[in-house]
Amino acid sequence: MIECRDLRKLYQMGNVGVRALDGIDLTIGKGEFVGIMGPSGSGKSTLLHMLGLLDIPTSGEITLDGIDVNTLNDYQKTMFRLYKLGYVFQDYALVPELTVAENVSLPAMLRSDRTEEEFQAATEDILQRVGLSDRRDHLQKELSGGEQQRVAIARAIVNRPDILFADEPCANLDTENSTMVLDLFDEINHDMHQTIVMVSHEDWHKKYFHRIIRLRDGKIVEDNHALS
Amino acid sequence: MGKKELKVAFFLAWRSLRRGSRSSAILTILIVGMCFTNMIFLPSLFAGIGQTIKTQIVDYEVGNVLVSPQAGEQYITDLDATLDLINSMPGVERATPHYAKGATLKYRQRILGSSIRAIRPTDEKSVSPIYEKMIAGSYLGEGDTGEIIIGKIIAGDPTIPAEEEFYSSLGGVRVGDSITVEFGNGYTKDYRVKGIFSTGWTSSDNSALITWSDMELVEGGSLDKAEYITLKTKPGYSEKFVKDELVSYGVSSQVHTTDDLLSKAIGSVLQSFDIINMVSLIVSIIITTVVLFIVITIKTINSRKQIGILRAIGVDKEVIMHNYGFQVIILATFGIMLGVTLAVLLALYLSYHPIVTPEWSAYMYLTPMDLVSNSLILFAAAIVAGYVPAYQVSREEIQSSMRA
Ligand SMILES: Nc1ncnc2c1ncn2[C@@H]1O[C@H](COP(=O)(O)OP(=O)(O)OP(=O)(O)O)[C@@H](O)[C@H]1O
Ligand SMILES: [Mg+2]
């Protein structure tokens, strides 16, 4: 599903170069729930952004679903993200003027292979799953942080992506809401066989991951499947 | 960029305006509406002033076409034959001759220099509407002798002392009073004031009229000449057509249409109007552009992170750009609609309550073409103002907008 070879990202800050990623080799299979952990500044977000086609590596190869993403142009990458990838960020970034249901529908609306009835049905289905059916017509400002993040998750999976990327989705949430989000991930990983790559630095999240990749200074220092 | 993307962009734009800050949207619409009104108000007011001046010049000075004596001559001679010829031409409603003579008017203690104009009442009526402007007494009849009608300014106001008058007058003449007129050739006679008229056109209100036959008495013989002839064209005939006709029939080589005369007389005034119009147009466009640019820039800056994330989840940058573009289009459309409404209301108001000065009265001369062309200009400015920041924000790297 995800393969990368000798992935490097160098940030040039004046005279000083920062090796945010320093030769990452990685293979992630379908249906895996992978946790990326490590200290702050170790390159977790950078790695996720490279894998999620949000940024371009300095060197190295990334293959997603058998496609060498270096060959894609900007528009093709956008379409690849729309059709095959889903994202949840620390920031929920819902569109404040859209209702819960409209926010969730948004990525589905843009797909040319979805009719209005299809994406309406998919939206209802996903809202049911994240437990927000009764909030479908509410606006962002009327929701709690945890609810907003569940809307963001619903938006990320409404298109049934091949891979779901999550960058510290629980960073702004309390333990109770974090648990709810992680349970939700666990559920969709289990029920829908959803591949999930999630960044976290909370130790107690470990128990949810099938596999933990630990980074330090842009290098993989640990990769175990122990907890699966 | 497919239909689906445009639909989503419009959906986002509409929702953003409907559910976003109501006051900011209303304020923006108001400003665009005001700018539109500002753009249209002065130019159409000036056009209105131009129109009233033109109407008055046609009505009280030169008619639709002015026939002057042949070059080098002082009078049009053989007047009756000439008038018959002119009146027989297609497109001519009626022609009327003008002949004036300097005179001194005396009434009680007042003495006033003026020129007395001779008219042929029936012909004059079909060219100049003074007969509709009588504020006291009545118009001259065809065979009247010893009677005079005078303009309101000459008649004067008895409550205003002579030294405070702007234009000298006879200090309050009323219908039935008698005025002594001493003509330049020494002929002196008392005339009974038959009527007083007020046209609002200064030089007309400063004139005194007697019949052609009275003037023949003054001149001591039949008066078969005129200083010039003015004429009214029939509806459907252009002034230019009638002018060319008169020239080709050899009536006179000195024939001018109102437009010929106006472009000479008030051409420079119209030019300064044009400058003022241009300034108000440019100011309106600049304000609209700047306001819409700022509104959209603030919107995009406040939403940078959201834009980054939307792009991350697969919303194409074109959708983002058109989202803001459509917002500007919608705001501008409503603003222009408001502006058109305001302008039309103002025009209606001014048509009932024109701005009146001694020289002219002004209403707004507003054609649908003016509304359309100004709308298009403002709309184009709005699109530029909105799409520039929309384009910029949509091209930003996903990474940097997400970090915002
Ligand atoms: N745009 C950038 N320009 C320069 N340096 C950057 C940029 N983005 C990241 N870095 C640097 O790259 C390194 C890795 O950053 P990254 O954001 O991937 O860390 P992280 O593991 O996600 O940390 P955190 O847990 O704090 O989120 C850091 O040293 C960071 O300062
Ligand atoms: Mg990070």
Short mmCIF file of all heavy atoms in Angstrom, two decimals, chain B residues 193-213:
data_model
loop_
_atom_site.label_atom_id
_atom_site.label_comp_id
_atom_site.label_asym_id
_atom_site.label_seq_id
_atom_site.Cartn_x
_atom_site.Cartn_y
_atom_site.Cartn_z
N VAL B 193 -49.42 97.28 -20.51
CA VAL B 193 -48.86 95.94 -20.25
C VAL B 193 -50.00 94.93 -20.31
O VAL B 193 -50.92 94.95 -19.51
CB VAL B 193 -48.16 95.89 -18.88
CG1 VAL B 193 -47.73 94.46 -18.58
CG2 VAL B 193 -46.97 96.84 -18.86
N LYS B 194 -49.91 94.02 -21.30
CA LYS B 194 -50.99 93.05 -21.49
C LYS B 194 -50.73 91.77 -20.69
O LYS B 194 -51.65 91.08 -20.28
CB LYS B 194 -51.12 92.70 -22.97
CG LYS B 194 -52.39 91.90 -23.26
CD LYS B 194 -52.49 91.52 -24.72
CE LYS B 194 -53.82 90.78 -24.97
NZ LYS B 194 -53.85 90.19 -26.31
N GLY B 195 -49.45 91.47 -20.49
CA GLY B 195 -49.15 90.24 -19.75
C GLY B 195 -47.71 90.23 -19.27
O GLY B 195 -46.86 90.99 -19.75
N ILE B 196 -47.46 89.40 -18.30
CA ILE B 196 -46.10 89.22 -17.77
C ILE B 196 -45.80 87.72 -17.81
O ILE B 196 -46.64 86.90 -17.43
CB ILE B 196 -45.99 89.74 -16.32
CG1 ILE B 196 -46.29 91.26 -16.31
CG2 ILE B 196 -44.61 89.46 -15.74
CD1 ILE B 196 -46.44 91.83 -14.91
N PHE B 197 -44.61 87.39 -18.31
CA PHE B 197 -44.27 85.95 -18.39
C PHE B 197 -43.01 85.64 -17.57
O PHE B 197 -42.17 86.51 -17.34
CB PHE B 197 -44.10 85.49 -19.83
CG PHE B 197 -43.14 86.33 -20.63
CD1 PHE B 197 -41.77 86.10 -20.59
CD2 PHE B 197 -43.61 87.37 -21.44
CE1 PHE B 197 -40.89 86.87 -21.32
CE2 PHE B 197 -42.74 88.15 -22.17
CZ PHE B 197 -41.38 87.91 -22.12
N SER B 198 -42.94 84.39 -17.15
CA SER B 198 -41.77 83.93 -16.42
C SER B 198 -41.37 82.58 -16.99
O SER B 198 -42.06 81.59 -16.83
CB SER B 198 -42.11 83.80 -14.94
OG SER B 198 -41.06 83.13 -14.27
N THR B 199 -40.23 82.54 -17.68
CA THR B 199 -39.80 81.29 -18.32
C THR B 199 -38.71 80.60 -17.52
O THR B 199 -38.44 79.43 -17.72
CB THR B 199 -39.21 81.58 -19.71
OG1 THR B 199 -38.09 82.46 -19.54
CG2 THR B 199 -40.23 82.24 -20.61
N GLY B 200 -38.04 81.33 -16.63
CA GLY B 200 -36.90 80.75 -15.91
C GLY B 200 -35.61 80.94 -16.69
O GLY B 200 -34.53 80.67 -16.19
N TRP B 201 -35.70 81.38 -17.93
CA TRP B 201 -34.52 81.60 -18.76
C TRP B 201 -34.24 83.09 -18.75
O TRP B 201 -35.05 83.90 -19.23
CB TRP B 201 -34.79 81.09 -20.17
CG TRP B 201 -33.64 81.22 -21.12
CD1 TRP B 201 -33.55 82.06 -22.18
CD2 TRP B 201 -32.42 80.49 -21.08
NE1 TRP B 201 -32.36 81.91 -22.81
CE2 TRP B 201 -31.63 80.95 -22.16
CE3 TRP B 201 -31.89 79.50 -20.25
CZ2 TRP B 201 -30.37 80.44 -22.44
CZ3 TRP B 201 -30.64 79.00 -20.52
CH2 TRP B 201 -29.89 79.47 -21.60
N THR B 202 -33.11 83.48 -18.15
CA THR B 202 -32.86 84.88 -17.84
C THR B 202 -33.06 85.83 -19.02
O THR B 202 -33.76 86.83 -18.91
CB THR B 202 -31.44 85.05 -17.29
OG1 THR B 202 -31.27 84.11 -16.25
CG2 THR B 202 -31.22 86.45 -16.76
N SER B 203 -32.43 85.52 -20.14
CA SER B 203 -32.48 86.50 -21.22
C SER B 203 -33.90 86.64 -21.75
O SER B 203 -34.29 87.70 -22.24
CB SER B 203 -31.51 86.12 -22.34
OG SER B 203 -32.07 85.14 -23.14
N SER B 204 -34.67 85.57 -21.62
CA SER B 204 -36.06 85.65 -22.04
C SER B 204 -36.87 86.49 -21.06
O SER B 204 -37.66 87.36 -21.46
CB SER B 204 -36.63 84.24 -22.15
OG SER B 204 -37.99 84.28 -22.41
N ASP B 205 -36.66 86.27 -19.77
CA ASP B 205 -37.39 87.02 -18.76
C ASP B 205 -36.95 88.48 -18.71
O ASP B 205 -37.55 89.30 -18.02
CB ASP B 205 -37.22 86.38 -17.38
CG ASP B 205 -38.00 85.08 -17.28
OD1 ASP B 205 -38.91 84.88 -18.11
OD2 ASP B 205 -37.69 84.27 -16.39
N ASN B 206 -35.88 88.78 -19.43
CA ASN B 206 -35.36 90.13 -19.50
C ASN B 206 -35.78 90.81 -20.79
O ASN B 206 -35.19 91.80 -21.20
CB ASN B 206 -33.83 90.08 -19.44
CG ASN B 206 -33.29 90.95 -18.34
OD1 ASN B 206 -33.91 91.97 -18.01
ND2 ASN B 206 -32.16 90.57 -17.78
N SER B 207 -36.80 90.25 -21.46
CA SER B 207 -37.18 90.82 -22.76
C SER B 207 -38.61 91.37 -22.72
O SER B 207 -39.39 91.04 -21.84
CB SER B 207 -37.06 89.75 -23.86
OG SER B 207 -38.03 88.75 -23.69
N ALA B 208 -38.87 92.22 -23.71
CA ALA B 208 -40.21 92.79 -23.85
C ALA B 208 -40.65 92.59 -25.29
O ALA B 208 -39.85 92.75 -26.22
CB ALA B 208 -40.18 94.27 -23.50
N LEU B 209 -41.92 92.20 -25.50
CA LEU B 209 -42.38 91.86 -26.84
C LEU B 209 -43.56 92.73 -27.24
O LEU B 209 -44.47 92.98 -26.44
CB LEU B 209 -42.81 90.39 -26.90
CG LEU B 209 -41.87 89.33 -26.34
CD1 LEU B 209 -42.49 87.94 -26.50
CD2 LEU B 209 -40.53 89.37 -27.05
N ILE B 210 -43.52 93.18 -28.51
CA ILE B 210 -44.68 93.86 -29.08
C ILE B 210 -45.00 93.17 -30.41
O ILE B 210 -44.22 92.33 -30.87
CB ILE B 210 -44.42 95.37 -29.34
CG1 ILE B 210 -43.23 95.54 -30.28
CG2 ILE B 210 -44.20 96.10 -28.02
CD1 ILE B 210 -42.98 96.98 -30.69
N THR B 211 -46.14 93.49 -31.00
CA THR B 211 -46.48 92.82 -32.26
C THR B 211 -45.70 93.43 -33.41
O THR B 211 -45.19 94.55 -33.32
CB THR B 211 -47.98 92.94 -32.58
OG1 THR B 211 -48.30 94.34 -32.68
CG2 THR B 211 -48.83 92.28 -31.50
N TRP B 212 -45.65 92.65 -34.50
CA TRP B 212 -44.96 93.07 -35.71
C TRP B 212 -45.56 94.37 -36.24
O TRP B 212 -44.85 95.28 -36.64
CB TRP B 212 -45.07 91.95 -36.76
CG TRP B 212 -44.00 92.00 -37.80
CD1 TRP B 212 -44.10 92.57 -39.04
CD2 TRP B 212 -42.68 91.49 -37.70
NE1 TRP B 212 -42.93 92.44 -39.72
CE2 TRP B 212 -42.02 91.77 -38.92
CE3 TRP B 212 -41.97 90.83 -36.70
CZ2 TRP B 212 -40.71 91.40 -39.18
CZ3 TRP B 212 -40.66 90.46 -36.96
CH2 TRP B 212 -40.04 90.74 -38.17
N SER B 213 -46.90 94.45 -36.15
CA SER B 213 -47.54 95.67 -36.70
C SER B 213 -47.18 96.89 -35.88
O SER B 213 -46.99 97.99 -36.43
CB SER B 213 -49.07 95.49 -36.80
OG SER B 213 -49.53 94.52 -35.90
#
